[in-house]
Amino acid sequence: SPNPPCPLGLPLVEAMGKTAAPKPERTGMAAGLNKGFIVTRRELKMKPSYRRGRKGERVSLVREVVREVVGFAPYERRMIELIKIGSASTFKRSLKLAKKRLGTHRRGKKKRDEMSEAVAQMRRKA
């Protein structure tokens, strides 16, 4: 996909999901902010490493099918029950359970959000 246009009309540099303004042109002087030899800028292709971590179509489809076939792990089912109750304390308890099973706070939060989404999806179906 092409990079989004910059307000100055120059291409934006995009890496790791973040966009940065292009570097200003060199002055040709040996000192100063934009010091250095004046060269013509080349348009570089995006490196494959920049898309690392983005979920592809195929992977998401496979994960969806596996989830349908296999279902939830016992701790995930317990989390779903806690989330279904709907009080703030059980919501917090579900995070505590996820943290204990998965090891970190961030993973726990992600899993709780995933389970909340699963509960919402169940409610939409019913």
Side-chain angles (χ1 to χ4, degrees):
S1 68
N3 288 338
C6 166
L8 303 172
L10 298 166
L12 280 177
V13 179
E14 189 177 326
M16 302 295 283
K18 297 184 177 95
T19 53
K23 292 180 185 171
E25 287 298 316
R26 298 286 182 201
T27 57
M29 289 195 243
L33 281 174
N34 307 316
K35 66 181 182 184
F37 193 77
I38 298 172
V39 294
T40 55
R41 291 278 167 96
R42 293 188 312 149
E43 189 61 41
L44 297 175
K45 278 193 286 186
M46 288 285 284
K47 288 169 71 173
S49 63
Y50 287 160
R51 72 169 295 281
R52 181 171 187 248
R54 287 203 193 143
K55 199 192 293 183
E57 258 175 71
R58 186 160 186 259
V59 170
S60 55
L61 179 70
V62 167
R63 284 185 187 164
E64 193 179 314
V65 169
V66 168
R67 176 64 83 189
E68 266 180 51
V69 173
V70 177
F72 296 103
Y75 83 95
E76 289 175 332
R77 283 199 292 269
R78 198 163 137 206
M79 281 178 71
I80 287 172
E81 288 308 312
L82 288 168
I83 291 166
K84 274 183 184 172
I85 293 167
S87 69
S89 62
T90 56
F91 198 65
K92 189 174 180 181
R93 173 69 51 190
S94 69
L95 173 61
K96 214 170 174 186
L97 174 67
K99 266 174 59 175
K100 183 106 170 87
R101 292 290 190 276
L102 300 173
T104 66
H105 185 74
R106 181 177 283 177
R107 286 176 187 170
K109 284 199 305 189
K110 195 173 175 191
K111 181 59 75 174
R112 182 179 64 179
D113 292 343
E114 192 182 312
M115 293 299 111
S116 298
E117 187 57 44
V119 168
Q121 208 167 20
M122 285 177 202
R123 285 189 180 134
R124 281 196 292 267
K125 273 187 182 177

